[in-house]
Amino acid sequence: MPDELLTANIILYCKKWTRTVDFYKNGLALPVLFENDWFVEFTLNAASRLSIADDRRASIQTSSGAGMTLALEVADINTLWARMEKKRLDPTPVRTHPWNARVFYLFDPEGHRIEIWQKRSP
């Protein structure tokens, strides 16, 4: 299957749809690829997308963030942490993980955990 895979899209179903869309659009400043009155698709990179769906209009209901982490690797964790702090998104402190990475966490309005991480230099 890897040879056939062109893109990947994670879809989060939300009760707090408007607040959650605002978090990703304005808080994280993700570019919008597609938008209508109940579904917004954001571009993460050339092959990855993240969508936010209003669960009142979808066939799947929200899990209210339970049991899910959206892990995003970044190139400069310190700069991104400072930007998230300035936007008052309440990032946790950056800490060192045993799997050779630095990491901090955010939570969107729906309760989904977002893990921001960067590989540590050897």
Side-chain angles (χ1 to χ4, degrees):
M1 183 167 125
D3 292 336
E4 294 83 20
L5 187 61
L6 299 178
T7 63
N9 186 19
I10 300 160
I11 303 172
L12 304 176
Y13 298 90
C14 301
K15 288 190 184 316
K16 300 172 187 170
W17 185 77
T18 302
R19 287 180 47 211
T20 304
V21 168
D22 182 65
F23 175 86
Y24 288 97
K25 186 185 283 186
N26 299 311
L28 297 187
L30 296 179
V32 174
L33 184 64
F34 171 81
E35 182 173 13
N36 67 20
D37 63 338
W38 70 277
F39 187 89
V40 179
E41 185 175 37
F42 297 98
T43 301
L44 296 176
N45 64 24
S48 303
R49 300 188 173 99
L50 174 70
S51 296
I52 311 299
D54 186 340
D55 82 344
R56 293 171 295 182
R57 305 269 306 271
S59 60
I60 296 176
Q61 302 302 295
T62 182
S63 64
S64 298
M68 201 248 2
T69 297
L70 177 62
L72 304 172
E73 182 182 8
V74 298
D76 184 350
I77 197 167
N78 294 325
T79 299
L80 187 58
W81 186 92
R83 189 178 323 140
M84 299 298 101
E85 178 72 11
K86 186 175 181 179
K87 290 185 175 193
R88 297 184 176 151
L89 296 181
D90 298 322
T92 65
V94 175
R95 60 184 179 161
T96 301
H97 247 270
W99 32 267
N100 199 33
R102 297 180 66 227
V103 63
F104 72 87
Y105 298 94
L106 300 167
F107 292 86
D108 73 15
E110 194 70 20
H112 299 108
R113 184 172 83 160
I114 304 162
E115 177 182 87
I116 308 293
W117 68 280
Q118 179 183 7
K119 289 181 187 174
R120 282 185 24 209
S121 301

